[in-house]
Structure formats: C-alpha cells, structure tokens
C-alpha cells in the first residue's frame, strides 16, 4: 500500500497548506481527498507536488507492505 502520511508533514515544514495547494497551485479537492485516504493518484500529481514542495518523492509517500499484495 502506498501511504501519503509524509506529505502532510512535508507541507507543514514548507509552510504550504491544503488551501494553498487548491488555490495557488490548482490541485483539485478530489485529488486532496484521494491523498488523505491513501487512494490511487496519477504520477503527474506526485510530480506536481514534488515541484510545488521542492522535495523528493520519498518526502511525500512511502510503500508499506500489506496482506493483499498477491
């Protein structure tokens, strides 16, 4: 499972809120909801977030093994 828990702490460290993402950077509310619930998102969204936050992929997401992997 891919988890986006690191995204929220990276955003806090960079001083960027969810409101900023939606208003300044045009990240739609549906994408933010998908991130909050660790649902699938497109890689271009991950790329966009990394560019906005000036960070690496591992600063916003991590893989956690789950029982349903196979």
């Amino acid at each position: 499972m891919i988890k986006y828990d690191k995204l929220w702490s990276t955003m806090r460290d960079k001083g960027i809120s969810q409101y900023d993402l939606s208003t300044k950077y045009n990240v739609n509310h549906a994408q933010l909801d998908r991130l909050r619930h660790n649902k699938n998102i497109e890689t271009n969204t991950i790329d966009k977030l990394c560019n906005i936050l000036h960070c690496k992929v591992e600063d916003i997401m991590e893989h956690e093994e789950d029982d349903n992997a196979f």
Side-chain angles (χ1 to χ4, degrees), residues 1 3 5-9 18 22 28-30 35 41 45 49 52-53 55 60-61 63:
M1 166 192 275
K3 296 181 76 174
D5 297 338
K6 289 184 171 187
L7 169 63
W8 314 113
S9 59
Q18 291 182 50
S22 65
N28 69 43
H29 294 283
L35 288 161
I41 60 169
T45 302
L49 290 169
I52 292 167
L53 297 169
C55 68
I60 63 171
M61 60 188 276
H63 174 261

Side-chain angles (χ1 to χ4, degrees), residues 4-58:
Y4 300 100
D5 297 338
K6 289 184 171 187
L7 169 63
W8 314 113
S9 59
T10 299
M11 286 173 52
R12 195 170 31 258
D13 293 345
K14 303 283 184 168
I16 295 178
S17 67
Q18 291 182 50
Y19 180 79
D20 292 334
L21 286 180
S22 65
T23 59
K24 288 183 182 178
Y25 301 104
N26 299 316
V27 176
N28 69 43
H29 294 283
Q31 289 292 4
L32 291 172
D33 186 63
R34 294 184 71 73
L35 288 161
R36 276 192 296 276
H37 293 98
N38 296 316
K39 294 185 177 179
N40 291 335
I41 60 169
E42 295 186 11
T43 54
N44 64 340
T45 302
I46 296 168
D47 182 50
K48 184 175 185 176
L49 290 169
C50 287
N51 285 321
I52 292 167
L53 297 169
H54 305 287
C55 68
K56 297 179 181 180
V57 171
E58 56 267 24

